[in-house]
Amino acid sequence: MRGLNTQLSRWLLGGAIYLTGWYYEGPALQASQMGAITLLLMAGFFSALSGETLRIRPSLVEWLFGIAFLFAMLVAWMTGNVLSTMYGAMLLLVLVALAFLVRHRGAAELGAVFRWAYVALVGTVLALESPALWASLSGSVEYGLGLVRYQPLGMHPNLSGLVYGGGALLFFQRWLSTDNRAHKGVALAMGVLCLCVLLAASARAGMLALGVAGLTGITLIALRGSRRSRMSLVFAAFIGVIVVLFNWAAIKDYLSLILDIDSPTRGVDSGATGRTEIWRMGIELVFSDAALLFTGRGIRSALPDLIGFPVESSYINLALEHGLFFGSLITLAFVVTACRALHQGLQPGQPRYQLFMVGLMFVFMLAQSFFNRYLIGVGNPYSLWILVLILQVNLRPMSAFTHRSRTVSRSAYPSHRLDRSPT
């Protein structure tokens, strides 16, 4: 019965992740989002019901998120914002559900659940929307409209950059962590397909965030990596330079087209005035009320319908919803977690590249968060994965992720070694 509850929990979680990838507007969007939350809560319930939950005290990050969500809910309740109060209560319930999931003895399998959900999403995209995907990937331009940006399953192109750019990192992590050639092939193919969706959506923020994560990884490997990893880096750079030199004209023309550089609204001549103007209005709103600067306005109280414009930055959004104090602490939690994972994953003589990739996933998310508001969220696959990951990394001893012996015995965490998760 325990095994059945565990498997049911995994299937429910996979269903929740899959539903968060659907973004068609209208009642279908509301139904998929609420259905995903329901499945997620049920996954946490059956995980607890399995009896395989380890007794581990709440981590500092769990306390921080719990208090921040509760405080935001109370602020919304006191100001009469019923919808924001409900959102706060929902996030608290989700936090509890995830706390059970990451404490399960088989918590290492959570990464595999997310990967399979991504496989299902990409498979659905190929089955239902492959003509639109390939047309946008080839740089389709319509007169009077400009570049046709692909929207996978109705998802906004900018959000697609976060979801599928992060998905590429998730599969690259799997490619590094397995020695099975078939698994490596599947992981590589899925990573390439995720990058194709990213390019088809012309998600420049996602490309930039991937570049930041890649540059961070290259720099740290060059400074602290093993001799073998440095040689691999040099070889890859050499091959990359050769490919670019022999195909420079075609690459330049394609990137110019897919990045929409010549567009009067998105191109170089636009000067990025649209987003910077939105940021300016957001910052002014943050500091417009001294009391709200500390308390915030409540979760999801900074939606465009409520404040009159979209907040195109997670950091401004956190300040508006949680206040400057809790918003800064939440951001700090992500930064510190990224630094810990990068440091522990690249120990001299004992590199753990799967944990190192976890750090790069956080770097990607932090870079993307300058351009979107999904640093704390459960409504899309990658934000949900990052929330699971930050709880998981901060909950367990580092030995569970780096294989180093510490005071906690290995038998207490029999299945939490990240590099042994199934495909």
Side-chain angles (χ1 to χ4, degrees):
M1 195 63 182
R2 288 186 174 186
L4 179 60
N5 285 330
T6 297
Q7 290 302 316
L8 184 56
S9 173
R10 298 291 182 263
W11 279 100
L12 290 169
L13 175 61
I17 301 164
Y18 179 76
L19 282 179
T20 60
W22 288 77
Y23 263 77
Y24 289 116
E25 292 294 336
L29 176 60
Q30 298 298 324
S32 64
Q33 293 285 296
M34 292 307 300
I37 295 300
T38 302
L39 292 179
L40 181 58
L41 296 179
M42 291 175 63
F45 171 76
F46 280 102
S47 180
L49 195 63
S50 70
E52 296 290 333
T53 303
L54 298 174
R55 295 182 179 273
I56 306 175
R57 291 179 300 176
S59 66
L60 185 60
V61 167
E62 286 177 321
W63 280 114
L64 170 61
F65 286 175
I67 293 172
F69 296 162
L70 180 61
F71 184 76
M73 185 178 71
L74 292 175
V75 168
W77 177 71
M78 292 179 65
T79 56
N81 191 336
V82 178
L83 184 61
S84 181
T85 306
M86 294 173 62
Y87 273 120
M90 179 198 71
L91 276 181
L92 279 173
L93 290 174
V94 167
L95 184 64
V96 172
L98 295 182
F100 282 113
L101 287 169
V102 300
R103 283 171 170 77
H104 193 278
R105 290 184 182 275
E109 298 177 5
L110 293 179
V113 175
F114 274 86
R115 288 193 298 271
W116 281 115
Y118 264 96
V119 169
L121 281 172
V122 173
T124 303
V125 164
L126 294 177
L128 300 181
E129 301 178 349
S130 55
L133 170 62
W134 303 128
S136 294
L137 191 61
S138 64
S140 176
V141 178
E142 291 187 7
Y143 180 77
L145 295 176
L147 181 69
V148 178
R149 303 176 68 190
Y150 177 54
Q151 301 183 52
L153 304 179
M155 185 179 293
H156 191 281
N158 293 344
L159 178 56
S160 301
L162 171 68
V163 171
Y164 291 93
L169 291 177
L170 184 62
F171 285 105
F172 183 60
Q173 181 197 45
R174 180 55 180 163
W175 183 82
L176 287 174
S177 67
T178 181
D179 296 324
N180 185 295
R181 291 186 178 181
H183 293 174
K184 277 186 176 293
V186 171
L188 182 61
M190 287 302 304
V192 170
L193 287 172
C194 286
L195 290 177
C196 286
V197 175
L198 173 75
L199 284 172
S202 185
R204 297 182 300 190
M207 299 179 203
L208 177 61
L210 278 179
V212 171
L215 184 60
T216 301
I218 290 171
T219 302
L220 291 177
I221 290 175
L223 294 175
R224 302 181 58 205
S226 63
R227 182 179 179 181
R228 180 179 178 182
S229 63
R230 291 178 182 178
M231 291 300 296
S232 299
L233 196 62
V234 171
F235 178 74
F238 176 76
I239 295 298
V241 169
I242 295 297
V243 170
V244 170
L245 287 178
F246 277 90
N247 298 276
W248 171 245
I251 293 174
K252 180 182 177 182
D253 291 342
Y254 180 74
L255 289 179
S256 177
L257 176 63
I258 208 70
L259 295 177
D260 220 5
I261 290 177
D262 298 325
S263 169
T265 56
R266 299 183 70 228
V268 177
D269 293 338
S270 69
T273 53
R275 181 168 272 117
T276 53
E277 179 63 19
I278 289 173
W279 287 345
R280 183 190 63 79
M281 292 190 295
I283 293 172
E284 289 179 354
L285 185 59
V286 169
F287 291 94
S288 64
D289 189 302
L292 294 178
L293 178 64
F294 175 76
T295 63
R297 292 162 170 77
I299 296 171
R300 299 296 183 270
S301 61
L303 295 174
D305 294 342
L306 299 177
I307 64 175
F309 59 92
V311 179
E312 299 284 351
S313 169
S314 289
Y315 306 112
I316 297 174
N317 192 74
L318 284 172
L320 286 171
E321 294 186 353
H322 293 277
L324 210 57
F325 178 71
F326 278 117
S328 298
L329 288 180
I330 290 172
T331 302
L332 184 62
F334 282 93
V335 173
V336 171
T337 301
C339 292
R340 288 180 62 219
L342 292 171
H343 175 72
Q344 295 292 341
L346 209 59
Q347 287 284 1
Q350 292 183 324
R352 300 290 181 262
Y353 290 114
Q354 191 170 3
L355 178 60
F356 184 66
M357 281 300 302
V358 168
L360 293 183
M361 289 181 192
F362 281 109
V363 171
F364 170 77
M365 186 66 173
L366 288 166
Q368 258 277 3
S369 292
F370 282 100
F371 307 99
N372 64 50
R373 59 178 178 83
Y374 302 105
L375 184 61
I376 291 287
V378 295
N380 69 81
Y382 194 70
S383 292
L384 181 57
W385 166 240
I386 286 294
L387 187 56
V388 169
L389 202 56
I390 194 172
L391 297 184
Q392 193 172 30
V393 170
N394 286 281
L395 182 69
R396 309 188 189 289
M398 267 301 167
S399 59
F401 295 91
T402 63
H403 307 176
R404 298 174 64 186
S405 299
R406 295 200 180 178
T407 56
V408 179
S409 67
R410 292 174 183 259
S411 60
Y413 301 90
S415 60
H416 294 155
R417 297 174 63 171
L418 289 184
D419 61 347
R420 290 190 177 180
S421 60
T423 302

